[in-house]
Amino acid sequence: MDSLTWVVFDIMGTVAFAVSGAMVAIDKRMDVFGVIVLALLTAVGGGMVRDVLAGITPPMALCDITDFMLAIITALFISWGYTRWPISHRNLQRFLLLYNICDTIGLASFTITGMLTGLGREYGNPYVLPVLLGVITAVGGGVLRDVMARRMPVVLYKDIYATASLAGALVSCLLYPYIGILGMSWLCFVLVILLRAGALRYDWHLFHPRPGKKFGGEKETKQ
C-alpha cells in the first residue's frame, strides 16, 4: 500500500466528512458536544468499521489521534463560523452547497483509503475485499451520523451515493494492474466525484419500487 497516497486521501476525507457531520448536527440544533460527536462519527466511524472487518485491531484511528484531532478542530471551526454567518436564503443555499461538496469529497477520498487498505491485506479475491472495504469506509460514517441524528441514512434512499462509491471502486480495481496505485486512486476520486456531482445536478436516482396500477386501469365498484 502506498502510505503517502493513503495519508493524503485520509486527511482529505477526514476533514470533509467532519464538516458534513458538524453541519448535520448544527441543522439538528445540537450543542457543541453533539457537533463534535457527529463530526467524529462521520470522519472516523467508517474507517473503524473497515479496520475491524479487515482484521486490523485496534483500529488505526485509536492508535493515532491525528484523525480525531482533525475532526474535533474542524467541528469547532464550523461551529464558530456558523455563529458568524448571518441567516438568509442565499446563505442557506451556500450552507447546503458546502455540505454537498464536503460530503462528495469525503465519499471519494474514503472510497480510496478503503480500497488501499483492502489491497494491502492480499486475502482471497483481489477485487472483492478492496471494493467492499472502499464502499464501507465511504458510507459507514455517514450511516452512523444519520442514525445518531435520528434520520433515515441517506445512503438507503437518496440519489446516487453508495452506487457512486461502488462504481468508482470497481472500475479502479479492475484497472489497477495497468495504471498502478497512484493512477487507480485518482481515477477513483474523479469517477466518484463526477457520478455524485451528476446525481446532484441532474437529480439521478436509482429505481424506487412503487405500487402498480390495477390491471386494465378499471375502478373497483361497490357491490
Side-chain angles (χ1 to χ4, degrees), residues 32-42 75 148:
V32 67
F33 181 75
V35 174
I36 291 173
V37 169
L38 253 65
L40 281 170
L41 277 176
T42 314
M148 289 293 289

Side-chain angles (χ1 to χ4, degrees), residues 125-142:
N125 188 288
Y127 305 115
V128 173
L129 187 62
V131 170
L132 291 183
L133 288 184
V135 175
I136 289 168
T137 309
V139 306

Side-chain angles (χ1 to χ4, degrees), residues 1 6 50-51 54 56 60 112-122 129-130 133 137:
M1 180 173 65
W6 193 94
R50 171 203 66 211
D51 290 348
I56 302 173
M60 287 184 277
I112 296 164
T113 61
M115 282 196 308
L116 293 178
T117 301
L119 288 170
R121 305 308 290 171
E122 297 181 352
L129 187 62
L133 288 184
T137 309

Side-chain angles (χ1 to χ4, degrees), residues 167-191:
L170 184 58
V171 171
S172 301
C173 279
L174 289 173
L175 295 178
Y176 164 61
Y178 308 102
I179 60 178
I181 285 181
L182 188 61
M184 176 199 73
S185 299
W186 283 107
L187 174 63
C188 179
F189 187 80
V190 171
L191 283 175

Side-chain angles (χ1 to χ4, degrees), residues 20-125:
S20 74
M23 295 176 79
V24 169
I26 289 171
D27 184 61
K28 290 292 184 177
R29 306 294 185 187
M30 296 184 183
D31 62 18
V32 67
F33 181 75
V35 174
I36 291 173
V37 169
L38 253 65
L40 281 170
L41 277 176
T42 314
V44 306
M48 292 177 71
V49 174
R50 171 203 66 211
D51 290 348
V52 171
L53 293 177
I56 302 173
T57 54
M60 287 184 277
L62 299 181
C63 299
D64 184 345
I65 65 169
T66 302
D67 287 349
F68 271 85
M69 295 307 300
L70 279 174
I72 292 171
I73 292 170
T74 301
L76 292 174
F77 178 78
I78 293 297
S79 298
W80 174 84
Y82 184 74
T83 63
R84 299 294 187 273
W85 205 353
I87 295 176
S88 67
H89 177 72
R90 177 173 293 183
N91 281 344
L92 289 176
Q93 292 297 317
R94 290 171 177 170
F95 190 81
L96 178 61
L97 178 62
L98 177 61
Y99 170 81
N100 284 327
I101 290 174
C102 290
D103 203 45
T104 299
I105 292 174
L107 184 76
S109 299
F110 276 175
T111 300
I112 296 164
T113 61
M115 282 196 308
L116 293 178
T117 301
L119 288 170
R121 305 308 290 171
E122 297 181 352
Y123 292 144
N125 188 288

